[in-house]
Amino acid sequence: MSLDVATLGHAAVTASFNHLRPCPHDGLERFSVTPMTHWVLMPPSPRLPEALLTTLTAGRARADRLTHTEHLPARDARHAPWPAGIRAEVIDAARELGVAQPWAHQSEAMQLAKNGQTVVIATGTASGKSLGYLAPVLSDLLTGTEASNGRGATALYLAPTKALAADQRRRAAELVPPRVRAALYDGDTPPEEREWVRQYASYVLTNPDMLHRGILPAHPRWASFLKALKYVVVDECHSYRGVFGSHVAQVLRRLRRLCARYGSEPTFLLASATTADPAATARRLTGLPAVAVTEDASPRGPLVFALWEPPLTENVGEHGAPVRRTATAEAGYLLTELVQQNTRTVVFVRSRWAAELVALQAQDQLGSPLGSRVAAYRGGYLAEERRAIERDLHSGRLLGLASTSALELGVDVSGLDAVLMAGYPGTRASLWQQAGRAGREGQGALAVLIARDDPLDTYLVHHPEALFATPVEATVLDPDNPHVLAPHLCAAAAELPLTDADLDLFGPSTAQLLPVLEQRGLLRRRSDGGWYWTRRERAADSVDLRGSGGSPVQIVEVETGRLLGTVDAAAAHTTVHSGAVHLHQGRTYLVRDLDLETSVALVERADPPYTTSARDITSISVLTTDETVEWGEARLSFGSVEVVNQVVGYLRKRIATGEIMGETKLDLPPRTLRTRAVWWSVTEEQLADAEIPFDLLPGAAHAAEHASIGLLPLFATCDRWDIGGVSVPLHPDTLLPTVFVYDGHSGGAGFAERGYRRAEQWLGATRDAIAACECARGCPSCVQSPKCGNGNDPLDKAAAVRLLDALLAGAPGGPGRASSDGGRAR
């Protein structure tokens, strides 16, 4: 008898049989057992990470691409007893899974949770944070099953992704008997199942979007669940940053308000990657004082962390600039070699397009049958596609996976040996989260950061201390942002009329905003003192949690009418404009038409030899200046601005080389954004001293703007796609040469403000990154930007260094100051 090997996971099979006898057979191993014979895919042979790295550097003369290797030693475990109050059933189930005693940080978190304290567990990847909050939650839910209605206690679990919620339901099922009814409640839940979840589930796993749109507005139908709500788990809370995090913070305040209405006061349990001041992050998210558990007592295998810079190619980019091999192309080659070595590997990429491209490249190079064991994973897939890939990943059928950050979070992918990161993920917290995906079973692991042709990536691979000797960032969010708060006040009023007692809950700006909302006809204050929602439409529908700018655009195949996926409205102009190349599941499409009125992009199958990159133009005006500081003759400011942006065309770039093949014009409507910005201005005298005549000024300011956008993610929890910039030789609002860097979200996300607070270190690192680049006139590694609306023209690298020197000379630290973040201005 034989079984389909593609459906079997090695752990499940090898644990089921004793006294197995291996027999080699065509790359598989045959186990004979009476009375049946099973053919199974064997787990990859463990290899030391140093050996894996040697394999990668030995081929194709790659040794010079390795710029730094960091060896992180193994760490021993520290255990602690199970706290009182953890049910025996949970302890017994954990022991069956191999957990005789919790690690010390797990035990501490369990005890704090049982005491009703808001707690955030901020320890490393694979440190067992899930057990830290699941043990107390499931214990109380078990006790709740003994109530007369079988649901004396309930719990709500919030995850930023659907995949993570599904993974957590599997973990909960391993720890408690079926009488604790755990259920997913998200956009993929069929309507017929939703009523059952509302009435009977005691552990509901969902996401902030569904809580905001589906649960809170329908709270009377959830009354019995909310009345018994004992715990709220907020997983991977470090991902709630910027505008998204600010929205989630207000959703949690709305939840707390409704719980109080039904007589419950749930305990909030948060889990986070290692971040700076996690207790402050938890407090901003929940509005409650929190205790942080940060001392990681879990064991860790040795980790070899390599920094990798792709080589320069013979191709040239815009204006003859040298071009490196792309990080995605390099990752595709390295993934191919690791899979050939039978090494389970995940590649993290920065975009949906890159995930498809890396997987397709590896599949082509591997051929059959190994190519079938490589796949892509990203947002925008339909539910059944995501679930199938997740099953193949858990079963071990997949050896290689190219993924966006959808798998960065706590989805259990135990057994991985290597992680490749095609580009810096934007924050050090995300970098360590991604690197920690490998080695989760205690074996040695390899992590490789492959630099993109980008100022920040180039800076980091040549300044390893900025990664390995610098603390992770603090999570940036601002729940008091009026652009965020105002629509949530409307949503809250639609759920229950607002009263003066709610002012403190929603924040200090609430009292000022309520009269404004009344003037706009959105709220009405009645004689009872309450504020009421006045419209017929649902207030929650006007709130866009993820700041995508409207309804998602549906991507539809012309020939079949099949829905391929979706893209956020804010990204539609740049990613699915007419003529854009779109990848889905390894297949290439060209966008025939983008209909903005119906939010539909029509695509057709094609095989073009190029990719596309949108070009735009931007203007900016100052609305208010909140803060200003003098840097000698120069001036640094922070405040509110209005940005007008329009996509005007796109470039066609040859695949793998980046060579520009041509440009096509587009006629798309402009978009207006009111947001927050940091900006700096210099005087004519400073320009004269820096030997920057007026004809060189546009190129100098433009180059400094590009590089500063590229380096800001080193100091704020963002990436360059969260922010934008404009440089003007003579701006009408400042009457001086001025460079702006602004948040790419309405009302601001806190990134520009972080740049203002850390301006000296940020701009010093920017200056150093430009000066250290080996190119002569400027390239994508220093001053060229992949999203420049002016085609990276004009740019003047040398003049940009002199301009930043002139600016930094008046900074508080003065010339030659040291920077703790890996940069030094000279």
Side-chain angles (χ1 to χ4, degrees):
M1 176 179 178
S2 64
L3 298 178
D4 179 5
V5 297
T7 65
L8 298 175
H10 69 266
V13 175
T14 55
S16 302
F17 304 101
N18 296 318
H19 311 297
L20 304 182
R21 185 172 67 254
C23 306
H25 181 86
D26 295 336
L28 302 177
E29 286 197 14
R30 177 184 176 191
F31 285 95
S32 299
V33 61
T34 303
M36 297 183 299
T37 299
H38 295 267
W39 298 90
V40 300
L41 290 172
M42 286 303 296
S45 301
R47 299 187 62 197
L48 293 175
E50 293 85 352
L52 290 176
L53 186 59
T54 300
T55 298
L56 296 181
T57 55
R60 305 174 188 263
R62 294 193 183 118
D64 60 340
R65 305 180 196 181
L66 190 64
T67 62
H68 179 79
T69 305
E70 192 82 7
H71 294 266
L72 303 178
R75 179 181 61 214
D76 294 331
R78 290 186 295 105
H79 294 90
W82 291 96
I86 303 301
R87 294 272 300 222
E89 297 96 320
V90 174
I91 295 174
D92 290 342
R95 285 173 175 160
E96 289 182 9
L97 294 172
V99 182
Q101 274 192 317
W103 294 317
H105 67 272
Q106 294 173 320
S107 179
E108 180 185 359
M110 294 174 196
Q111 187 63 64
L112 289 167
K114 292 297 294 181
N115 292 341
Q117 175 68 59
T118 297
V119 58
V120 54
I121 313 171
T123 51
T125 307
S127 61
K129 292 186 285 287
S130 295
L131 183 61
Y133 59 73
L134 275 174
V137 168
L138 297 179
S139 292
D140 281 8
L141 294 184
L142 273 170
T143 301
T145 63
E146 298 163 1
S148 58
N149 65 354
R151 196 163 73 158
T154 61
L156 184 69
Y157 170 92
L158 297 176
T161 67
K162 294 177 182 178
L164 181 54
D167 185 76
Q168 286 296 308
R169 183 176 66 168
R170 286 191 292 267
R171 295 189 185 188
E174 294 174 339
L175 289 170
V176 289
R179 68 177 187 271
V180 172
R181 297 182 289 266
L184 292 173
Y185 192 83
D186 57 31
D188 296 337
T189 306
E192 60 272 16
E193 292 183 16
R194 296 188 180 190
E195 185 61 31
W196 183 92
V197 175
R198 283 190 287 266
Q199 292 188 18
Y200 302 109
S202 52
Y203 189 35
V204 174
L205 301 100
T206 186
N207 51 65
D209 311 79
M210 200 64 176
L211 175 62
H212 158 65
R213 290 183 180 273
I215 296 178
L216 298 183
H219 64 88
R221 304 178 70 186
W222 288 84
S224 63
F225 180 88
L226 294 173
K227 182 178 181 179
L229 191 59
K230 178 77 172 178
Y231 291 103
V232 177
V233 177
V234 184
D235 205 357
E236 304 292 352
C237 68
H238 65 281
S239 65
Y240 300 124
R241 58 179 176 83
V243 168
F244 181 38
S246 302
H247 276 297
V248 172
Q250 291 298 347
V251 170
L252 295 180
R253 284 157 175 76
R254 286 164 50 202
L255 173 63
R256 289 176 51 206
R257 177 171 176 261
L258 290 178
C259 286
R261 163 68 175 76
Y262 289 105
S264 65
E265 188 177 352
T267 297
F268 281 77
L269 309 179
L270 301 93
S272 171
T274 303
T275 62
D277 202 354
T281 298
R283 184 175 64 251
R284 284 193 293 269
L285 267 176
T286 64
L288 297 167
V291 176
V293 175
T294 58
E295 190 171 347
D296 195 334
S298 64
R300 183 185 65 195
L303 174 68
V304 174
F305 204 129
L307 304 183
W308 189 283
E309 186 173 43
L312 290 170
T313 68
E314 297 179 354
N315 303 300
V316 295
E318 292 175 307
H319 314 296
V323 175
R324 294 190 182 276
R325 187 197 303 274
T326 65
T328 52
E330 193 82 346
Y333 284 118
L334 298 182
L335 175 62
T336 299
E337 295 196 8
L338 288 168
V339 170
Q340 287 173 336
Q341 297 290 322
N342 210 27
T343 302
R344 289 188 64 186
T345 306
V346 64
V347 182
F348 285 108
V349 294
R350 301 297 307 280
S351 68
R352 297 178 176 186
W353 162 270
E356 299 280 1
L357 199 62
V358 168
L360 186 61
Q361 179 183 345
Q363 289 165 355
D364 288 345
Q365 292 174 349
L366 289 166
S368 182
L370 272 181
S372 65
R373 300 187 68 185
V374 175
Y377 187 96
R378 61 171 177 80
Y381 281 177
L382 301 180
E384 56 269 25
E385 293 175 316
R386 292 196 310 270
R387 297 293 181 258
I389 295 171
E390 290 162 15
R391 286 194 299 269
D392 287 344
L393 182 63
H394 281 280
S395 72
R397 191 194 76 79
L398 288 177
L399 266 179
L401 192 70
S403 173
T404 59
S405 59
L407 281 182
E408 171 188 323
L409 304 179
V411 177
D412 186 3
V413 286
S414 299
L416 290 179
D417 301 298
V419 167
L420 305 176
M421 291 164 277
Y424 181 61
T427 67
R428 286 182 289 272
S430 289
L431 179 85
W432 290 109
Q433 190 77 352
Q434 291 183 1
R437 291 297 97 194
R440 288 169 63 89
E441 292 181 337
Q443 76 274 28
L446 172 67
V448 182
L449 172 62
I450 306 168
R452 290 174 301 157
D453 215 355
D454 173 270
L456 179 56
D457 287 43
T458 303
Y459 180 86
L460 291 173
V461 296
H462 293 285
H463 294 78
E465 69 278 3
L467 292 176
F468 302 113
T470 304
V472 294
E473 309 87 347
T475 302
V476 177
L477 67 149
D478 180 15
D480 206 40
N481 178 341
H483 292 265
V484 171
L485 176 57
H488 283 284
L489 292 176
C490 293
E495 292 155 5
L496 286 175
L498 289 165
T499 68
D500 290 341
D502 298 319
L503 298 182
D504 290 341
L505 173 65
F506 287 104
S509 296
T510 304
Q512 300 171 356
L513 279 175
L514 289 175
V516 175
L517 295 172
E518 184 179 26
Q519 292 172 8
R520 294 179 181 175
L522 298 173
L523 297 181
R524 177 183 301 163
R525 192 166 199 183
R526 296 183 178 174
S527 57
D528 61 3
W531 300 87
Y532 289 75
W533 173 244
T534 62
R535 304 292 183 89
R536 291 185 176 181
E537 61 267 24
R538 281 168 36 108
D541 291 342
S542 66
V543 185
D544 183 8
L545 290 196
R546 298 179 187 263
S548 58
S551 301
V553 172
Q554 295 182 314
I555 303 170
V556 177
E557 188 176 23
V558 173
E559 293 85 351
T560 64
R562 183 168 63 101
L563 176 65
L564 297 182
T566 60
V567 63
D568 291 340
H573 286 213
T574 56
T575 58
V576 289
H577 54 76
S578 297
V581 176
H582 177 72
L583 270 179
H584 181 81
Q585 290 282 53
R587 295 182 292 273
T588 309
Y589 298 83
L590 275 177
V591 179
R592 176 189 291 182
D593 181 57
L594 171 62
D595 189 331
L596 294 174
E597 290 187 3
T598 60
S599 295
V600 171
L602 298 176
V603 303
E604 55 190 1
R605 284 295 303 273
D607 191 24
Y610 58 83
T611 64
T612 50
S613 175
R615 293 302 195 202
D616 59 2
I617 57 174
T618 305
S619 62
I620 193 167
S621 56
V622 176
L623 299 177
T624 62
T625 302
D626 295 350
E627 296 185 44
T628 295
V629 60
E630 304 294 333
W631 279 14
E633 297 179 34
R635 180 178 300 160
L636 181 77
S637 302
F638 170 71
S640 297
V641 297
E642 182 176 84
V643 182
V644 179
N645 175 267
Q646 184 176 19
V647 174
V648 296
Y650 64 93
L651 296 178
R652 298 185 303 280
K653 297 183 178 181
R654 195 175 301 279
I655 296 174
T657 68
E659 177 186 357
I660 296 173
M661 302 172 60
E663 182 173 0
T664 302
K665 301 299 183 184
L666 291 172
D667 183 20
L668 288 168
R671 290 184 164 188
T672 300
L673 173 71
R674 291 197 170 193
T675 185
R676 307 283 274 169
V678 54
W679 63 92
W680 50 269
S681 306
V682 294
T683 64
E684 293 183 8
E685 290 77 10
Q686 287 178 293
L687 295 176
D689 292 341
E691 300 180 357
I692 303 176
F694 191 79
D695 62 322
L696 297 184
L697 177 58
H702 195 196
E705 170 217 328
H706 280 183
S708 62
I709 290 173
L711 268 293
L712 181 56
L714 195 59
F715 303 90
T717 49
C718 66
D719 63 33
R720 72 180 306 152
W721 300 98
D722 289 322
I723 50 181
V726 176
S727 55
V728 186
L730 184 63
H731 193 273
D733 294 326
T734 65
L735 302 179
L736 291 169
T738 305
V739 173
F740 294 83
V741 175
Y742 60 86
D743 291 342
H745 300 275
S746 180
F751 306 136
E753 182 174 8
R754 183 57 59 94
Y756 178 78
R757 306 294 175 205
R758 301 289 303 278
E760 190 174 349
Q761 295 91 345
W762 164 42
L763 295 172
T766 300
R767 183 263 178 218
D768 286 353
I770 301 173
C773 185
E774 59 187 320
C775 73
R777 300 179 56 190
C779 70
S781 294
C782 58
V783 298
Q784 287 191 353
S785 169
K787 58 176 185 173
C788 178
N790 296 320
N792 285 298
D793 183 48
L795 291 175
D796 192 318
K797 174 184 176 179
V801 174
R802 298 198 300 273
L803 177 62
L804 288 166
D805 278 339
L807 172 70
L808 290 162
R817 74 208 172 285
S819 168
S820 62
D821 293 270
R824 189 180 65 84
R826 296 178 290 274

